[in-house]
Amino acid sequence: MDKYEILEKYYGYRSFREGQEMLIDHILAGKDVLGIMPTGAGKSVCYQVPALLLPGITLVISPLISLMKDQVQALNQAGVHAAYINSSLSEGQITKALAFAQQGRYKIIYVAPERLETERFLRFAMAVEISMVAVDEAHCISQWGQDFRPSYLHIVQFVKRLPKRPILSAFTATATGAVKEDMICVLGLEEPFTLVTGFDRQNLFFAVEHTKSRSRYLQHYVAGHEGESGIIYCATRKNVEKVYELLRREGVAVTRYHAGLSGEERQRNQDDFIYDRKPVIVATNAFGMGIDKSNVRYVLHYNMPQSMENYYQEAGRAGRDGEPSDCILLYSAQDIMINRFLIENKEANPDFTEEECRTIRERDEDRLQTMNFYCNTKACLRTYILRYFGEESNTSCGKCGNCQKHYVEKDMTQEAGKVIACLEEQEERFGINVVAGTLLGGKSAKLKEYRVDRYDSYGALSRMREQELKDLIGQMILEGYLRQTKDKYGLLQTTGKAQDIVDGSCTVIVKLEPRSSRMAEEDDRIKGSAKRRSDILNTRGLAFFEELRELRREIAREKGIPPYLVFSDKTLVDMCVRLPMSREEMLEVNGMGAFKYEKYGERFLSCIMEYTGGIREKFYFGD
Ligand code: ADP
Ligand code: ZN
């Protein structure tokens, strides 16, 4: 097999992502590599694919037990034999795992760095062929980083003692100057091929909200994203409890996580979250390292984190599957005080001298300051983040919270009149999306389903951009010309005041983002590449998606694994769009590897057959 066949067979992907292939090729050519890639970029593939092609075993050093378990489960799901060795196993289990490993049953073994020092593990390592040592979360080796782990220093000694030097590969998502140097020097990488892919995560929407009531904002937001998975970060345990109670009282399926809970409860709550039994979790920053849940749709920060590093890492847990997701920080000036307090009272590390402690405190202060700037800048948030992480970026992204806040005013009374005409023509039977789609002359599946092209208003505002039109409608609601029904349909209706527009006795002024046409195009392109599920699927498609999701939950329950390890949301959406009816067609679905097909493919096929009666033409779920 070659690397492409492996990617197809075990992962169900047809092509490598930016950077992955280069790293893999260098490893296969016997070179050390350093891969600095943002969360969700697909680092695991970079060492797992070569691991399957190299002659011996690959050891993956990973700092967290939960992370190892998750990765190994995912590999086994995909049909790769892998194991982990850490303190969560009993001595007996370790003996067994090592014996199997010695027989060559596993190509990939995850180990905790502490394990490398033990005589027993060393004996094992000397007796087998180790082709590669892959260091995950490699920034943990640097004393300059946030997550320094002294045990990472053992890696170097361990590698030195092996009879034959294996290839070393190191991966991380966070690396500023000093940390990067450390990874190369301290780990002892030899002339590594270094690849830094962009830190930009196109599918994430960033915003800072200066809201009067954070609680109300939160309630609103969570209610508006019902059924979606989200993390809400708070600075203190007390806040976690408060926010947790608030949401729980609202009937949200929510759980919580902080260091004050027993280990047992933390594990249970974490599992509830991972297995989607409780899709929302309120947590301190103790939560999240090693959480590999790919379908987190939003990360809200109830409090300001202590640094941009923390923020980007925590926020970055949203949207690992590449689907659009929100990262929203709720700002309150008093958070600065809380954070100062936390920094000043941080327990001093006894290994550091007084001088070093002072340096660290100053550094923490600086970081907090930068975080505060982020919260208060009027410029593009994405650009701010990228610059902070050392990426040149001079343009505005046009789609973060701040970019969308730069307004110009425009008289849109005429356009408002057309909106009202459209509502009257459609007898107020639709929500904002269909109304806007009609006026824009849209061609989506949903619009076809409603046959909106029979209305005179169809395409009446086709020259407007969708967002512009939605802003106009939003403004009309705000000013009381229109209202939305409060049920789940959110139908648009006119009020008595709307007549003033028709009579021409008032004007409607809308605040719009100024933009050159070039930027508008860019925006459309970005939108096209990261569509929301509801843009891809029509109403029936979304209903069918829920059916598939239910089947996924059922399988996950049977197997005792998290649903996203069965298939990602993306894979299910693709199934809805393609409606595969044979093995061959099913294998075309994004994320459907041969092994996964053998395990679950049939069940999804029969679900599709049952739903459609085998006649694809009658069903039209996608665009
Ligand atoms: P990281 O460790 O860099 O945060 P992961 O290795 O967890 O990222 O990968 C993130 C997601 O991207 C996973 O769901 C993974 O299966 C998916 N992925 C990785 N490589 C590809 C690829 N070449 N094509 C499509 N999806 C991919
Ligand atoms: Zn922006």
Side-chain angles (χ1 to χ4, degrees):
M1 266 202 283
D2 64 18
K3 61 186 179 197
Y4 300 108
E5 286 163 346
I6 287 184
L7 188 72
E8 170 102 42
K9 178 169 176 194
Y10 295 109
Y11 299 85
Y13 301 138
R14 257 156 292 288
S15 57
F16 287 102
R17 285 196 188 140
E18 187 198 345
Q20 285 178 331
E21 197 163 1
M22 277 206 274
L23 285 164
I24 292 170
D25 288 345
H26 279 85
I27 291 174
L28 291 175
K31 284 197 64 104
D32 286 359
V33 304
L34 171 61
I36 302 173
M37 307 158 95
T39 312
K43 288 184 281 295
S44 334
V45 163
C46 299
Y47 56 83
Q48 289 171 355
V49 169
L52 296 176
L53 289 165
L54 292 168
I57 294 172
T58 289
L59 295 181
V60 183
I61 318 290
S62 168
L64 280 147
I65 292 178
S66 57
L67 189 87
M68 290 186 209
K69 194 172 152 206
D70 208 77
Q71 293 263 5
V72 168
Q73 265 188 338
L75 282 170
N76 287 326
Q77 282 301 310
V80 176
H81 295 287
Y84 58 87
I85 294 177
N86 61 35
S87 58
S88 77
L89 301 182
S90 68
E91 283 302 308
Q93 286 171 314
I94 291 178
T95 308
K96 204 162 135 198
L98 287 179
F100 280 166
Q102 204 135 5
Q103 293 164 13
R105 289 242 204 139
Y106 308 122
K107 286 298 280 181
I108 303 179
I109 300 173
Y110 281 74
V111 283
E114 296 79 19
R115 192 61 41 186
L116 301 175
E117 279 184 296
T118 63
E119 274 310 312
R120 187 166 173 207
F121 191 79
L122 254 173
R123 268 204 310 281
F124 156 77
M126 312 270 261
V128 295
E129 181 182 358
I130 293 177
S131 291
M132 172 161 70
V133 172
V135 184
D136 203 4
E137 311 287 351
H139 63 281
C140 291
I141 200 158
S142 171
Q143 315 222 14
W144 284 110
Q146 296 267 311
D147 317 301
F148 173 55
R149 302 267 166 145
S151 59
Y152 260 59
L153 299 172
H154 302 318
I155 299 171
V156 191
Q157 290 309 318
F158 171 78
V159 169
K160 281 206 181 114
R161 289 184 64 176
L162 294 176
K164 181 167 162 251
R165 186 186 185 275
I167 300 165
L168 279 182
S169 58
F171 299 89
T172 180
T174 52
T176 37
V179 178
K180 187 170 154 192
E181 286 301 301
D182 275 0
M183 283 191 298
I184 295 175
C185 299
V186 184
L187 262 181
L189 302 181
E190 283 173 7
E191 295 174 27
F193 167 74
T194 303
L195 184 118
V196 185
T197 57
F199 268 70
D200 191 10
R201 304 261 318 268
Q202 287 280 339
N203 61 320
L204 299 186
F205 169 80
F206 291 97
V208 177
E209 294 290 343
H210 293 241
T211 154
K212 277 209 195 70
S213 163
R214 293 190 279 188
S215 316
R216 207 165 323 127
Y217 184 96
L218 215 87
Q219 280 171 318
H220 238 91
Y221 185 93
V222 174
H225 292 77
E226 202 188 327
E228 292 185 357
S229 187
I231 305 175
I232 298 159
Y233 278 112
C234 302
T236 60
R237 294 175 199 182
K238 217 172 97 195
N239 277 344
V240 169
E241 291 295 339
K242 190 175 94 182
V243 171
Y244 167 74
E245 270 308 315
L246 181 85
L247 294 176
R248 205 180 55 86
R249 271 203 311 272
E250 296 270 309
V252 176
V254 59
T255 183
R256 67 196 153 151
Y257 191 104
H258 58 68
L261 304 172
S262 71
E264 203 178 311
E265 179 169 6
R266 266 180 300 176
Q267 187 61 46
R268 192 169 60 235
N269 294 353
Q270 177 173 320
D271 284 349
D272 279 346
F273 174 68
I274 288 178
Y275 287 76
D276 278 332
R277 290 186 289 260
K278 295 195 175 149
V280 180
I281 192 162
V282 186
T284 60
N285 62 8
F287 177 77
M289 251 277 234
I291 300 295
D292 218 358
K293 195 172 197 291
S294 68
N295 65 340
V296 175
R297 289 279 74 86
Y298 58 86
V299 172
L300 302 189
H301 276 78
Y302 187 82
N303 296 109
M304 186 171 102
Q306 285 180 26
S307 70
M308 287 302 292
E309 281 89 347
N310 286 353
Y311 182 62
Y312 204 50
Q313 191 170 50
E314 287 160 18
R317 294 191 175 118
R320 293 178 74 120
D321 53 9
E323 298 271 298
S325 309
D326 292 344
C327 306
I328 300 172
L329 197 159
L330 307 182
Y331 178 79
S332 155
Q334 111 213 20
D335 280 355
I336 289 278
M337 316 289 286
I338 298 178
N339 278 317
R340 281 234 166 84
F341 177 84
L342 290 174
I343 288 174
E344 271 156 28
N345 291 281
K346 202 154 112 182
E347 225 171 284
N349 186 330
D351 294 341
F352 292 142
T353 64
E354 205 169 302
E355 170 80 24
E356 284 170 327
C357 284
R358 200 169 50 244
T359 316
I360 289 175
R361 185 159 317 141
E362 280 167 13
R363 187 199 63 190
D364 286 348
E365 261 297 323
D366 279 350
R367 286 186 165 156
L368 180 58
Q369 203 48 259
T370 323
M371 190 70 233
N372 195 31
F373 285 143
Y374 174 81
C375 294
N376 288 292
T377 180
K378 299 253 181 321
C380 173
L381 295 172
R382 189 180 305 275
T383 304
Y384 187 98
I385 294 171
L386 293 180
R387 285 219 188 115
Y388 181 78
F389 289 109
E391 252 174 67
E392 264 321 305
S393 174
N394 293 314
T395 50
S396 293
C397 75
K399 53 178 185 156
C400 70
N402 280 4
C403 283
Q404 295 185 349
K405 258 182 230 154
H406 289 179
Y407 299 129
V408 287
E409 297 193 333
K410 192 171 166 193
D411 183 337
M412 291 197 137
T413 315
Q414 253 197 336
E415 286 84 342
K418 299 212 159 119
V419 173
I420 291 169
C422 179
L423 290 178
E424 285 175 353
E425 200 181 12
Q426 296 183 329
E427 295 167 339
E428 310 189 334
R429 284 185 293 128
F430 298 112
I432 185 166
N433 286 320
V434 174
V435 172
T438 305
L439 286 160
L440 293 169
K443 295 189 178 5
S444 75
K446 195 164 168 182
L447 294 171
K448 283 191 186 134
E449 196 182 356
Y450 291 131
R451 297 196 294 124
V452 295
D453 55 359
R454 68 196 140 123
Y455 297 114
D456 288 338
S457 315
Y458 184 73
L461 294 176
S462 60
R463 295 171 63 137
M464 280 180 89
R465 285 185 305 110
E466 182 182 10
Q467 195 53 50
E468 219 171 80
L469 177 55
K470 285 191 174 165
D471 286 350
L472 167 65
I473 294 174
Q475 181 86 5
M476 290 169 78
I477 295 171
L478 215 67
E479 294 184 15
Y481 300 110
L482 307 179
R483 65 171 161 248
Q484 263 179 309
T485 57
K486 293 218 165 7
D487 55 17
K488 66 178 174 182
Y489 303 110
L491 303 181
L492 271 186
Q493 303 176 330
T494 54
T495 66
K497 210 177 154 194
Q499 193 57 36
D500 293 352
I501 294 179
V502 181
D503 295 340
S505 62
C506 68
T507 54
V508 180
I509 306 291
V510 180
K511 290 180 170 175
L512 295 169
E513 295 167 60
R515 57 170 74 220
S516 66
S517 56
R518 194 186 58 77
M519 274 185 68
E521 271 165 35
E522 210 168 79
D523 192 42
D524 286 344
R525 199 194 56 208
I526 290 161
K527 249 193 232 142
S529 68
K531 282 184 169 175
R532 290 233 169 227
R533 190 149 66 230
S534 53
D535 292 340
I536 301 175
L537 300 175
N538 59 22
T539 319
R540 283 164 79 193
L542 286 171
F544 185 55
F545 174 79
E546 286 306 321
E547 297 251 335
L548 295 181
R549 216 152 83 139
E550 184 50 45
L551 174 58
R552 178 177 70 176
R553 256 199 298 272
E554 194 179 300
I555 293 175
R557 253 197 313 271
E558 285 167 22
K559 305 270 170 193
I561 56 173
Y564 65 86
L565 282 186
V566 178
F567 288 121
S568 70
D569 284 4
K570 216 184 186 125
T571 301
L572 297 191
V573 169
D574 205 34
M575 260 188 236
C576 292
V577 172
R578 291 170 185 261
L579 291 178
M581 304 209 157
S582 66
R583 178 174 189 274
E584 285 63 45
E585 288 176 355
M586 196 56 129
L587 285 172
E588 295 281 302
V589 170
N590 184 295
M592 178 71 67
F595 275 92
K596 285 230 171 139
Y597 177 82
E598 294 312 326
K599 270 203 219 139
Y600 313 125
E602 300 278 335
R603 291 176 72 176
F604 281 89
L605 264 185
S606 26
C607 179
I608 292 169
M609 292 309 261
E610 197 172 311
Y611 199 87
T612 60
I615 310 167
R616 181 161 36 213
E617 291 63 37
K618 270 172 57 187
F619 293 83
Y620 193 52
F621 291 156
D623 238 335

